Amino acid sequence: MRIGVLGAGQLGRMLALAGYPLAKTFVFYDMSGSPSAGLGEVIIDREGKYLDDFLSRVDRVTYEFEHLPVEVAEKLAKEKPVHPCPRALQVCQNREAEKTLFGELGIPTPQWKIADSAESLKAAAESLGCPVVAKSNTEGYDGKGQAVLKTPEDAEAAWESIGHPRLMVEKFVEFSREVSIIAVRGEDGQLAFYPISENVHHEGILRYAIAPAPKLEKHVQEDAERYIKALLNELGYVGVLTLELFETANGLVANEMAPRVHNSGHWTIEGAMTSQFENHIRAVSGHPLGSVEPRGLSCMINIIGEHGDVERLLELPYAHVHLYNKGERPGRKLGHINVLADSYAELVWRVRNCVQFLPGSPEFSSSLSSNRKG
Ligand code: AMP
């Protein structure tokens, strides 16, 4: 079976790495002009001229990034099975549609309002109560196109700095930590849920993901499963879906969803019986899903901007190094390291040992560490 992947970055690369043992082959469709998957066939098509060619070479289509026109996915879906469905793309490209769907399905969200001018942004900040977070309603990712308003008087400057005609304005959530749940749904409706991970960000970029999230109460995992299950079933979803959440004193609050394999699930490559990548390929191909049981305690460390001392990292017996074959650039995801351990204390020790060889990495700070920020 030939799987067509829209997008050709590291997520596509890891999908292919997981799909080869199942005898899948891959054709990537790249619109950026700089594919990095480095595996399979790549069609570079900045002007959208070779979609038919792409389609003729594949049996099924999936995607590894969600910023592609919904019309493209819809056009493809008329010819070949496209998983997940284009509606999932549509929802997650538009924060208003996403938060509306969450609300309809009983998934808690921050209180929110839409603003379409500096005046209505100010009014939204006044009615929600500051602080609020204003985000471009479309085209935002990794915290880009966002501003925090400490008082309604910040509205003018925030409107100018975001520079987008329509904003999602959210009440600022006082969370204890950021977490995510990754789930997968098969073609026959079979469901599987990975344990929640605790996600540590630095300057808007994920740095560490710890799974299963430490000190997580059982009902919190159950709540997250109920929320993501509602989304999967409502969308008739096939493949891996990620739901990013805030953990608060009053339970989980949903931030956003990603209709794909996710950086916070890279730990599953060595840390779970079946990785998120293999399960996505299984689902998209119509196979039964694999076990999502963790193999131990995991921490994923992102390699950002510079590679660090890879030779020394490779010497550590517990460090599973994954490199994406990308050039160094500030803020760029170049690879990740998965560390497994039998106890959280051992995990923290191993993670700190890895981090010393990653200059520029923020100090490891999480609910496990005493130096925790915030
Ligand atoms: P997003 O692009 O929506 O994922 O937001 C990027 C980051 O901004 C999140 O990972 C949070 O750290 C922070 N953030 C977003 N929305 C809120 C909110 N309503 N309250 C507090 N922090 C937020």
XYZ file of all heavy atoms in Angstrom, residues 95 110 133 135 143 146 170-173 175 178 201 246 255-256, ligand 1:
164
model
N -9.863 28.910 15.201
C -10.038 28.765 16.658
C -11.504 28.900 17.083
O -11.943 28.263 18.031
C -9.190 29.811 17.388
C -7.690 29.608 17.219
C -6.934 30.595 18.098
N -5.520 30.603 17.811
C -4.615 29.769 18.342
N -5.007 28.832 19.175
N -3.332 29.879 18.039
N -11.490 27.801 27.946
C -11.494 29.107 28.616
C -12.719 29.883 28.114
O -13.173 29.634 26.996
C -10.212 29.784 28.113
C -9.421 28.727 27.417
C -10.358 27.633 27.027
N -5.892 36.442 26.759
C -4.949 36.144 25.675
C -5.692 36.366 24.366
O -6.772 35.797 24.173
C -4.468 34.670 25.735
C -3.346 34.443 24.725
C -4.002 34.310 27.138
N -5.576 35.940 20.288
C -4.861 35.105 19.304
C -5.492 35.317 17.939
O -6.724 35.421 17.844
C -5.018 33.618 19.647
C -4.711 33.241 21.076
C -5.025 31.759 21.325
C -4.637 31.357 22.745
N -4.911 29.940 23.028
N 2.350 29.697 19.557
C 2.283 30.974 20.266
C 2.498 32.198 19.389
O 2.595 33.317 19.892
N 0.026 36.152 18.915
C -0.696 36.197 20.184
C -0.217 37.356 21.046
O 0.920 37.796 20.902
C -0.451 34.917 20.993
C -0.928 33.677 20.304
C -1.004 32.499 21.251
O -0.850 32.645 22.463
N -1.258 31.339 20.696
N -9.345 35.015 24.790
C -9.625 34.019 25.828
C -9.255 34.548 27.203
O -8.233 35.220 27.349
C -8.763 32.751 25.601
C -9.064 32.024 24.337
C -8.054 30.900 24.092
O -7.253 30.574 24.980
O -8.085 30.367 22.975
N -10.047 34.184 28.159
C -9.682 34.463 29.551
C -8.383 33.701 29.840
O -8.220 32.551 29.412
C -10.814 33.961 30.447
C -10.581 34.165 31.901
C -11.613 35.117 32.489
C -11.351 35.310 33.965
N -11.163 36.686 34.349
N -7.447 34.340 30.504
C -6.177 33.697 30.831
C -6.430 32.593 31.854
O -7.043 32.827 32.893
C -5.194 34.732 31.384
C -3.793 34.214 31.497
C -2.890 34.391 30.464
C -3.380 33.533 32.642
C -1.590 33.908 30.568
C -2.088 33.041 32.746
C -1.195 33.222 31.712
N -5.970 31.387 31.540
C -6.208 30.238 32.416
C -5.047 30.095 33.398
O -3.885 30.019 32.982
C -6.339 28.930 31.581
C -6.526 27.724 32.496
C -7.496 29.051 30.592
N -3.255 27.837 34.975
C -3.071 26.379 34.980
C -1.888 25.969 35.848
O -0.965 26.755 36.074
C -2.898 25.861 33.548
C -1.806 26.496 32.741
C -0.481 26.102 32.882
C -2.100 27.496 31.811
C 0.517 26.675 32.124
C -1.093 28.081 31.052
C 0.212 27.675 31.206
N 0.685 22.270 31.610
C 0.099 21.965 30.304
C 0.281 20.475 30.054
O 1.347 19.907 30.339
C 0.783 22.791 29.218
C 0.524 24.276 29.404
C 0.983 25.121 28.231
O 0.425 24.991 27.134
O 1.918 25.913 28.429
N 6.995 23.946 28.032
C 7.344 24.837 26.913
C 8.356 25.883 27.371
O 8.400 26.238 28.545
C 6.106 25.568 26.393
C 5.069 24.669 25.806
N 4.115 24.047 26.569
C 4.849 24.264 24.533
C 3.341 23.299 25.792
N 3.775 23.410 24.548
N -5.051 22.388 29.505
C -4.463 22.967 30.711
C -5.014 22.183 31.892
O -6.221 21.934 31.958
C -4.883 24.436 30.870
C -4.491 25.320 29.712
C -5.467 26.023 28.999
C -3.166 25.469 29.329
C -5.116 26.851 27.939
C -2.810 26.300 28.269
C -3.778 26.992 27.572
N -7.276 23.567 25.257
C -6.680 24.683 24.517
C -6.924 24.497 23.026
O -7.670 25.245 22.414
C -5.185 24.780 24.838
C -4.516 25.925 24.093
O -5.180 26.897 23.728
N -3.229 25.815 23.831
N -6.325 23.465 22.439
C -6.543 23.257 21.002
C -6.279 21.809 20.625
O -5.724 21.041 21.417
C -5.665 24.199 20.170
C -4.181 24.013 20.380
C -3.344 25.027 19.595
O -3.911 25.946 18.986
O -2.116 24.877 19.605
P -1.683 28.145 21.500
O -1.089 28.688 20.254
O -3.149 28.394 21.613
O -1.332 26.707 21.741
O -0.991 28.927 22.717
C 0.405 28.881 22.936
C 0.712 28.914 24.423
O 0.203 30.099 25.033
C 0.089 27.749 25.190
O 0.906 26.601 25.131
C 0.011 28.355 26.605
O 1.271 28.276 27.257
C -0.293 29.808 26.353
N -1.762 30.048 26.361
C -2.585 29.963 25.304
N -3.855 30.224 25.643
C -3.863 30.490 26.964
C -4.865 30.835 27.923
N -6.148 31.002 27.574
N -4.487 31.016 29.209
C -3.186 30.871 29.583
N -2.194 30.563 28.727
C -2.501 30.374 27.437
